[in-house]
Amino acid sequence: TILALFSRQHWIAELFSHFRMYYLLALALLALIFLHRQHRALLALTLLLAVPNAVPVVPYLTPFVVGKSIAGQPGAPVSIVAVNVNYHSDDYQSMLDYLFATRADVVVVSEYTPAWESALAVLDSTYPYRIGSSRVDPWGMAVFSKIPFASAELLDLGIEGTVHARAVLDLGETQLEVFAAHLMVPTTREGAAMRNRQLAALAKFTSTSVHPRILVGDLNITPVSPLFNDFLNDAGLVDARRPFGSHVTWPTSALPVWIPIDHCLADPRVPIQSVRTGRRFGSDHYPLEVTLQKPVGG
């Protein structure tokens, strides 16, 4: 908990901030023990340490409280699935079965390799609109859509060899700008610095957009990191997940250290109906399923 307080000062400290939920659970258990044993000093210390964990965590434990910035508006729904397929995985059929079951309007695929590009070619007739590029490493990306693109382009976030995309969906009387990104893993000094550079570049793109917009993908950061809130402020976005709960997305293993690193972030003009994790399909990530209504304006 104490290390996490220095997240803005050092990349190692920020790694500790992502597990605040588990610190809060452990502190709650300790508080009960100290209360039962009447250790008042230890109880007071435990409650004090719980505060910096509770402040960012508790809003994600109250999904019934919906913020006004993402209140629903009338309009036809649009469904989006963001999925990190894991570039090592070859469980192509499970992924296809999942996509055909969800019938999403837009699919954002991270870790899009040539092998996955070949496997997902069967989607061509269902998703005729596509932007992206495959790579043999984890940094390929593709956006598949049933909805026509008014425009689409690959984005340069300042790190060579990584693929990100922007697609403006033509929804008839309005448009929706979808940013798709997969950011660097911040488990080294260099990785953290590169991810932060990508966050800064993304914030410039999204904050200057003239369309209602959302950002989806594996951002390799959790909502309880202070750097995440800094990014939201710079990007002019809100966390669409927050009113619906934490919805962890990684890892899919039984190890109980699950954290939400796949995101949907939206501007206030995009009415989000739901954000949830989908079923496991063979990757080390759970997919993130988003349903929204046609945005206001744009």
Side-chain angles (χ1 to χ4, degrees):
T1 297
I2 294 172
L3 278 171
L5 296 176
F6 298 92
S7 295
R8 290 188 175 92
Q9 286 71 44
H10 201 280
W11 68 272
I12 292 180
E14 197 225 346
L15 291 178
F16 284 89
S17 73
H18 302 312
F19 302 95
R20 289 186 183 276
M21 172 75 76
Y22 301 98
Y23 305 157
L24 190 61
L25 290 173
L27 288 165
L29 178 60
L30 285 173
L32 290 174
I33 293 172
F34 296 146
L35 179 64
H36 175 69
R37 294 182 175 273
Q38 299 184 357
H39 292 311
R40 295 182 179 180
L42 290 175
L43 176 60
L45 177 60
T46 301
L47 295 176
L48 181 64
L49 289 173
V51 171
N53 294 313
V55 169
V57 167
V58 167
Y60 291 89
L61 301 180
T62 55
F64 299 107
V65 180
V66 179
K68 64 178 181 180
S69 63
I70 55 175
Q73 301 289 337
V78 176
S79 57
I80 300 174
V81 167
V83 55
N84 182 320
V85 294
N86 188 348
Y87 77 113
H88 286 306
S89 174
D90 59 0
D91 196 353
Y92 310 122
Q93 192 58 51
S94 292
M95 168 64 169
L96 289 169
D97 291 345
Y98 167 73
L99 289 181
F100 287 129
T102 61
R103 300 181 180 179
D105 297 307
V106 179
V107 179
V108 175
V109 179
S110 300
E111 303 199 13
Y112 184 63
T113 64
W116 274 104
E117 181 177 18
S118 177
L120 297 180
V122 298
L123 299 177
D124 287 349
S125 59
T126 307
Y127 296 91
Y129 308 98
R130 181 184 306 184
I131 179 74
S133 180
S134 62
R135 292 181 56 87
V136 296
D137 56 25
W139 308 114
M141 163 87 55
V143 179
F144 300 79
S145 179
K146 297 177 181 178
I147 302 169
F149 293 157
S151 63
E153 63 178 337
L154 297 181
L155 296 179
D156 180 5
L157 299 185
I159 305 299
E160 186 177 357
T162 62
V163 181
H164 317 277
R166 165 192 169 274
V168 179
L169 306 183
D170 185 355
L171 300 176
E173 67 275 11
T174 188
Q175 294 180 330
L176 174 68
E177 190 167 16
V178 178
F179 291 89
H182 180 198
L183 306 189
M184 300 297 290
V185 181
T187 51
T188 64
R189 182 189 300 274
E190 294 77 13
M194 288 190 288
R195 185 212 57 187
N196 293 344
R197 283 163 53 192
Q198 290 174 317
L199 285 171
L202 263 179
K204 289 182 180 179
F205 279 117
T206 59
S207 63
T208 57
S209 170
V210 297
H211 301 292
R213 62 206 181 275
I214 64 169
L215 165 62
V216 293
D218 178 359
L219 304 185
N220 275 309
I221 192 170
T222 63
V224 292
S225 166
L227 300 186
F228 182 82
N229 286 324
D230 294 345
F231 172 72
L232 290 181
N233 292 331
D234 293 341
L237 301 173
V238 296
D239 187 359
R241 162 193 268 112
R242 181 169 172 171
F244 306 103
S246 182
H247 293 289
V248 296
T249 59
W250 180 89
T252 56
S253 67
L255 190 65
V257 290
W258 308 293
I259 53 177
I261 60 175
D262 301 271
H263 296 274
C264 174
L265 312 179
D267 82 15
R269 292 175 292 175
V270 180
I272 305 293
Q273 288 184 326
S274 68
V275 177
R276 64 182 183 184
T277 51
R279 65 173 175 83
R280 185 178 180 180
F281 63 87
S283 174
D284 58 338
H285 286 245
Y286 291 101
L288 194 68
E289 301 176 355
V290 180
T291 303
L292 56 92
Q293 292 171 318
K294 286 186 178 181
V296 177

